[in-house]
Amino acid sequence: MALDVSELPTWMRRALLATGVMNVLGAGLFLPPAGGLRALAGVPPGEHGVYLTTLAMFVFSFGLAYLYAGATGRADRLFIALSAGGKLSFVAILVFYWASGSISIRAPLAATGDVVFGLLFLTWLVTSRAEE
């Protein structure tokens, strides 16, 4: 099965570079010693460090992948679709737990960037397929 790699327009490259920086820096929020930062962001303190470190590793890894795609100007549609779904799902989870009273409104508000980038990724998926 061949990859469905597409050339990216400038606005999408910039979005990937920006979210890459956001993810690489944001990964630190989930490291075990960053409990104070998580509290400021309204995110629960977390459990065992292995779970927090694993989450930080995934956020960081996706950040590197976003930076690579933005720098090269090429990305697989599946990667962008998974990225859009991941970003919007993360926000939906935060909104759910805020609505249930489990976390502060600060958590979903802190994830506003994920909403923006998730929607930009969906926009690119829809418009780039329509142009073909």
Side-chain angles (χ1 to χ4, degrees):
M1 185 169 118
L3 293 177
D4 187 7
V5 178
S6 300
E7 293 288 330
L8 301 171
T10 302
W11 69 267
M12 183 61 172
R13 291 182 73 174
R14 289 180 180 152
L16 285 163
L17 291 169
T19 199
V21 170
M22 182 179 81
N23 272 51
V24 166
L25 296 176
L29 177 72
F30 298 105
L31 291 172
L37 290 175
R38 283 190 299 283
L40 279 174
V43 179
E47 293 296 324
H48 193 279
V50 72
Y51 301 114
L52 291 169
T53 305
T54 301
L55 180 57
M57 182 267 313
F58 275 106
V59 172
F60 184 79
S61 297
F62 266 84
L64 292 179
Y66 296 140
L67 289 171
Y68 177 79
T72 62
R74 298 178 60 78
D76 183 69
R77 293 182 62 79
L78 177 60
F79 171 69
I80 300 299
L82 289 171
S83 298
K87 287 193 170 294
L88 295 173
S89 295
F90 175 64
V91 175
I93 290 166
L94 293 176
V95 169
F96 172 83
Y97 281 100
W98 164 73
S100 70
S102 299
I103 62 174
S104 165
I105 186 67
R106 291 188 318 265
L109 290 177
T112 302
D114 288 307
V115 173
V116 171
F117 291 119
L119 292 174
L120 286 172
F121 294 171
L122 285 177
T123 299
W124 178 78
L125 286 166
V126 171
T127 59
S128 67
R129 188 56 83 194
E131 293 170 359
E132 293 177 0

